Amino acid sequence: MRATHADADAARAANLLTGARRLVVFTGAGMSQESGVPTFRDAQTGLWASFNPEELATPEAFRRHPARVFGWYLWRARLVRTVEPHAGYAALVHLSADLESCVVVTQNVDGLHQRAGSSDVIELHGRLDAFRCFDRGHPFDASRLATLGSLPEGDVDPPPCPTCGSPIRPGVVWFGEMLPADAVARANDAVTQCDALLVVGTSGLVYPAAELPWLALDRGAKLIEVNPTPTPFSSRAHVSWRATAATALPALAQALEQRANPQLQP
Ligand code: BV8
């Protein structure tokens, strides 16, 4: 059977990873796209179609329009509860089994890597299912939002913090906010020590997260990129794989499996 272009990419990526002991997988919104979670730069749907996510994902937007911003996050949190991690997430879990370490550093806030079974996940931008109060950071139990979560899409007034009365906000990192220092430190450590960095589904536009692939390259790590479209990393990647996450990652796991067990060749 003639090898396809995808097979060639899988083979090149597998060759690069053969012998790697410490892998970091750096993911963005494109990793979740085939599970039905719109990417950050996809046109917003429904009531938020007229808003640019970067205009909603800020403390200023929440102060100015708390119900609009809170309603958007509640809708997203509800959406994420209804989707399932696609085969690419399971492929990452599978290929991690043969490695000394496989750290997932994600910009995503949907928790899908953990739901798929990845055990070493660093969330740079927080999580949709974590809530706290805006002014003092008092944790807020998301199950108290259950009734609100059933509301139709649209504005939802954030409830007041039971402790201090400040409006409840999502536990994500907004534009203009610092990333969690411990997550940044752990991500930098992982990338500094990795043999290879697998970059999946990120536009590479949002900093400081987007610094990580450049750090890996500077430290001599091999870089494999999985993205249907070019990004700022593409020209420096050792393998720039024009494919989607749910297609490429299972193909990569299979190619690595065949190298580890040649008797399995089809
Ligand atoms: C910070 C959580 C220090 C929220 C997110 C002015 C003032 C303040 C800061 C700045 C400023 N100017 C610039 C900055 C820095 C700013 C920034 O980088 N802005 C960008 C827009 C230029 N960064 C910050 O503000 C950060 N904090 O700098 O603090 C500071 C503090 C105070 C003052 C000054 C500095 C905080 C950034 C974190 C923002 N929060 N998420 C939420 O989710 O609502 S970021 C958000 O974008 C998501 O997390 C998303 O993951 C992330 C990055 O986007 P991507 O993941 O790459 O997604 P995107 O849609 O862009 O691309 C998808 C990709 O997937 C595409 O390439 C596509 O081709 C590909 N794809 C599509 N389908 C598939 C696929 N790939 C594979 N398979 C598929 N099927």
Side-chain angles (χ1 to χ4, degrees):
M1 181 175 71
R2 191 173 61 80
T4 65
H5 192 57
D7 295 344
D9 282 324
R12 288 168 62 221
N15 283 340
L16 212 60
L17 289 184
T18 301
R21 300 307 308 144
R22 294 178 304 280
L23 175 68
V24 171
V25 185
F26 178 57
T27 63
M31 179 75 203
S32 311
Q33 190 264 338
E34 288 155 290
S35 284
V37 181
T39 69
F40 216 66
R41 284 172 230 295
D42 276 348
Q44 289 301 312
T45 56
L47 290 148
W48 295 283
S50 56
F51 299 111
N52 176 336
E54 282 153 23
E55 292 161 359
L56 289 171
T58 70
E60 294 74 25
F62 183 73
R63 282 197 199 95
R64 254 195 325 271
H65 307 291
R68 179 187 302 161
V69 174
F70 191 75
W72 182 51
Y73 280 95
L74 217 50
W75 173 77
R76 289 172 64 192
R78 195 166 63 231
L79 167 73
V80 162
R81 283 200 301 270
T82 66
V83 304
E84 290 302 324
H86 56 66
Y89 289 89
L92 289 181
V93 177
H94 184 75
L95 66 83
S96 68
D98 296 334
L99 295 169
E100 180 184 300
S101 70
C102 181
V103 180
V104 175
V105 178
T106 189
Q107 301 169 88
N108 300 337
V109 294
D110 52 37
L112 289 181
H113 284 292
Q114 294 94 323
R115 276 175 49 192
S118 286
S119 52
D120 198 347
V121 181
I122 299 171
E123 294 170 315
L124 295 176
H125 296 157
R127 293 181 66 101
L128 280 171
D129 59 0
F131 291 84
R132 63 176 190 265
C133 77
F134 186 81
D135 293 311
R136 307 276 296 279
H138 295 130
F140 182 82
D141 179 356
S143 64
R144 300 171 71 128
L145 296 170
T147 50
L148 289 176
S150 61
L151 293 177
E153 288 176 18
D155 292 3
V156 178
D157 287 322
C161 171
T163 307
C164 69
S166 164
I168 296 303
R169 57 160 289 174
V172 300
V173 179
W174 278 330
F175 288 97
E177 293 186 322
M178 303 295 281
L179 277 60
D182 61 320
V184 172
R186 286 167 54 222
N188 280 326
D189 285 350
V191 167
T192 303
Q193 295 162 32
C194 75
D195 305 312
L197 181 74
L198 178 58
V199 181
V200 184
T202 184
S203 59
L205 298 176
V206 174
Y207 280 80
E211 279 167 5
L212 292 172
W214 304 117
L215 173 62
L217 286 167
D218 290 348
R219 296 292 181 130
K222 302 295 185 197
L223 194 143
I224 299 166
E225 176 186 51
V226 172
N227 196 318
T229 58
T231 75
F233 309 124
S234 302
S235 59
R236 292 281 307 279
H238 297 82
V239 175
S240 189
W241 192 346
R242 290 282 161 272
T244 68
T247 304
L249 297 177
L252 175 59
Q254 186 183 20
L256 285 167
E257 177 97 34
Q258 284 165 358
R259 271 158 183 69
N261 308 287
Q263 71 281 8
L264 292 178
Q265 294 288 356

